[in-house]
């Protein structure tokens, strides 16, 4: 799933092209993709977008007149691209926005499951839709991270992924951040000392910035991620093979030497506990 660095890189790439021309034709949209029906998509036609914004893992395209907001959530398999005039696009996109001048914003989704979503909302409704989100992960101070960790006792991997607590991090960047911070994915947030909180805050900032820089230059997963999906490959710090454990329906990657004092983490999948 694209997380903060991926969505922010996309936002920056889309910001100029989407506001160059007014919308000529909004839609079609796959029935499972379009989550709202009032106002209708056609309400966008003739209006100009103000650019691209981002909140957590979502993209927002407000209209220049301030009356509407198009919200896009890519989920795990959605892909949003801007096609210049004349560039060949997919035959049946999940959603399409055509601009005067011929450019198109096109959402596609691989696989049979349609999980990506498009919402057309009033600014007030968009705000309400996003109100549950916590502060943006990029820009958190060590003090804020300390407050978040102290507020409730949570395992760090789960805490970092909770969008109500910190917005923008998913399982891939939680793996990268915790490895950089040399903290166990299972460590309880309230048990961190102040030096560990500092390390965690620094890791959130530096890993997300590293990810954003690489994604802006088109970096592929294999190069951008150093721990996530690198099972058995040598840790980039100490050379120990990267290990994997299943936790809360997620696959967690970590270095047993750098993060868990040599301990191998036990499977804590919910489904296992329920058996
Ligand atoms: Zn290591």
């Amino acid at each position: 799933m694209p997380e903060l660095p991926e969505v922010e890189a996309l936002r920056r790439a889309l910001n100029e092209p989407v506001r160059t021309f007014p919308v000529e034709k909004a839609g079609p949209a796959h029935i499972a993709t379009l989550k709202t029906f009032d106002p209708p998509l056609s309400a966008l036609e003739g209006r100009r977008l103000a650019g691209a914004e981002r909140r957590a893992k979502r993209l927002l395209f407000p209209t220049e007149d301030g009356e509407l907001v198009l919200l896009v959530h890519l989920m795990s398999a959605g892909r949003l691209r801007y096609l210049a005039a004349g560039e060949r696009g997919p035959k049946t996109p999940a959603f399409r926005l055509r601009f005067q001048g011929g450019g198109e914003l096109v959402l596609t989704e691989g696989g049979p499951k349609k999980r990506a979503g498009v919402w057309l909302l009033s600014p007030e409704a968009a705000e309400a839709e996003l109100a549950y989100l916590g502060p943006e992960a990029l820009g958190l101070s060590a003090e804020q991270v300390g407050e978040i960790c102290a507020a409730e006792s949570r395992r760090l991997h789960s805490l970092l992924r909770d969008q109500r607590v910190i917005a923008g991090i998913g399982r891939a960047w939680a793996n990268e951040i915790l490895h950089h911070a040399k903290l166990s994915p299972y460590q309880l947030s309230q048990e961190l000392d102040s030096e560990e909180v500092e390390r965690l805050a620094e890791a959130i900032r530096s890993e997300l910035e590293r990810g954003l820089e690489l994604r802006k230059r088109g970096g592929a997963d294999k190069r951008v991620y150093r721990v996530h999906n690198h099972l058995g490959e040598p840790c980039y710090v100490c050379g120990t093979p990267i290990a994997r454990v299943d936790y809360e329906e997620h696959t967690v990657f970590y270095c047993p030497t750098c993060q868990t004092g040599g301990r191998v983490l036990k499977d804590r999948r919910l489904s296992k506990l329920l058996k």
Side-chain angles (χ1 to χ4, degrees), residues 88-128:
R88 185 188 290 267
K91 274 206 184 77
T92 52
F95 172 70
R96 175 162 51 204
L97 210 56
R98 194 170 68 233
F99 298 95
Q100 294 171 18
E104 289 184 349
L105 186 67
V106 173
L107 172 68
T108 51
E109 190 168 18
K113 277 192 188 148
K114 295 285 172 250
R115 294 180 62 218
V118 169
W119 293 253
L120 185 59
L121 303 163
S122 67
E124 297 74 31
E127 206 181 309

Side-chain angles (χ1 to χ4, degrees), residues 116-267:
V118 169
W119 293 253
L120 185 59
L121 303 163
S122 67
E124 297 74 31
E127 206 181 309
E129 181 79 27
L130 304 172
Y132 77 98
L133 291 166
E136 284 289 318
L138 200 49
L140 285 177
S141 66
E143 194 185 352
Q144 282 174 294
V145 173
E147 284 165 9
I148 288 166
C149 287
E152 49 181 329
S153 184
R154 299 274 302 274
R155 299 202 184 276
L156 291 179
H157 202 276
S158 168
L159 183 79
L160 288 176
R161 283 187 281 105
D162 187 339
Q163 302 303 298
R164 291 166 300 178
V165 178
I166 300 174
I169 300 170
R171 63 195 181 97
W173 286 104
N175 287 334
E176 299 298 324
I177 288 165
L178 290 172
H179 180 275
H180 185 105
K182 293 187 162 29
L183 292 168
S184 166
Y186 285 0
Q187 171 125 17
L188 290 168
S189 58
Q190 287 180 334
E191 289 175 359
L192 295 188
D193 62 31
S194 59
E195 194 263 331
E196 288 170 325
V197 167
E198 294 266 352
R199 255 166 38 212
L200 180 58
E202 194 280 324
I204 292 172
R205 185 191 55 76
S206 64
E207 281 301 305
L208 294 180
E209 281 179 357
R210 182 179 70 81
L212 176 56
E213 279 311 306
L214 292 171
R215 293 299 193 188
K216 269 162 48 185
R217 288 185 261 137
D221 287 359
K222 196 67 190 163
R223 201 162 71 84
V224 174
Y225 300 137
R226 300 188 288 190
V227 181
H228 181 70
N229 283 344
H230 282 265
L231 178 67
E233 293 173 37
C235 164
Y236 67 88
V237 174
C238 73
T240 303
I242 294 296
R244 179 178 77 183
V245 64
D246 288 317
Y247 171 57
E248 287 183 349
E249 309 304 323
H250 292 279
T251 303
V252 173
F253 295 88
Y254 67 101
C255 170
T257 301
C258 291
Q259 293 175 260
T260 57
R263 270 176 299 122
V264 170
L265 297 176
K266 294 281 188 319
D267 194 334

